[in-house]
Amino acid sequence: MGPSTACTGLQRRRLARLGVWACFPLADLIVGLLIAAAIIILLWGTVRTAGRRLMDGIEPDLLERARSALAATSGIDAVPDLQLRWIGHRLQGNATIQAADMPISAGDLMTKA
């Protein structure tokens, strides 16, 4: 039991005492349910994030940011296919691009940028 849990319990007891003192005996129940709801909401967000990382998933806006960054590169006409995934602590991406007509040496320079 960490200090944050003890602090939350202390605050809950104080609110419950105030409710009982004000002739509202359900105060303890209501405060307990509010704290349980807050914990469930935080837990749901954490489980979603951890589950996405376990499945090598990424945030949807990150895919759009990568696609727009590729499309903004000079010489690239379109990005029909883009895949991003986590491998360990590194983000790996594969993209299929459509480039304008150019010499192969210019295309080689573009891939190294």
Side-chain angles (χ1 to χ4, degrees), residues 7 54 74 80 82:
C7 181
L54 285 172
S74 64
L82 176 63

Side-chain angles (χ1 to χ4, degrees), residues 63-77:
L63 187 65
E64 288 306 314
R65 286 178 35 206
R67 186 180 303 276
S68 63
L70 281 171
T73 304
S74 64
I76 295 180
D77 292 338

Side-chain angles (χ1 to χ4, degrees), residues 3-70:
S4 62
T5 307
C7 181
T8 303
L10 180 63
Q11 290 171 350
R12 189 181 117 213
R13 285 192 298 268
R14 285 182 183 164
L15 285 173
R17 283 186 199 141
L18 280 173
V20 171
W21 180 73
C23 295
F24 188 60
L26 292 176
D28 187 37
L29 173 68
I30 292 170
V31 170
L33 288 174
L34 288 175
I35 290 172
I39 290 171
I40 288 172
I41 289 169
L42 290 173
L43 180 65
W44 178 251
T46 303
V47 166
R48 272 190 8 207
T49 303
R52 185 181 299 134
R53 287 298 301 267
L54 285 172
M55 298 300 292
D56 293 333
I58 61 161
E59 292 78 18
D61 65 319
L62 186 58
L63 187 65
E64 288 306 314
R65 286 178 35 206
R67 186 180 303 276
S68 63
L70 281 171

Side-chain angles (χ1 to χ4, degrees), residues 106-113:
D108 188 43
L109 289 175
M110 186 173 54
T111 60
K112 293 180 181 176

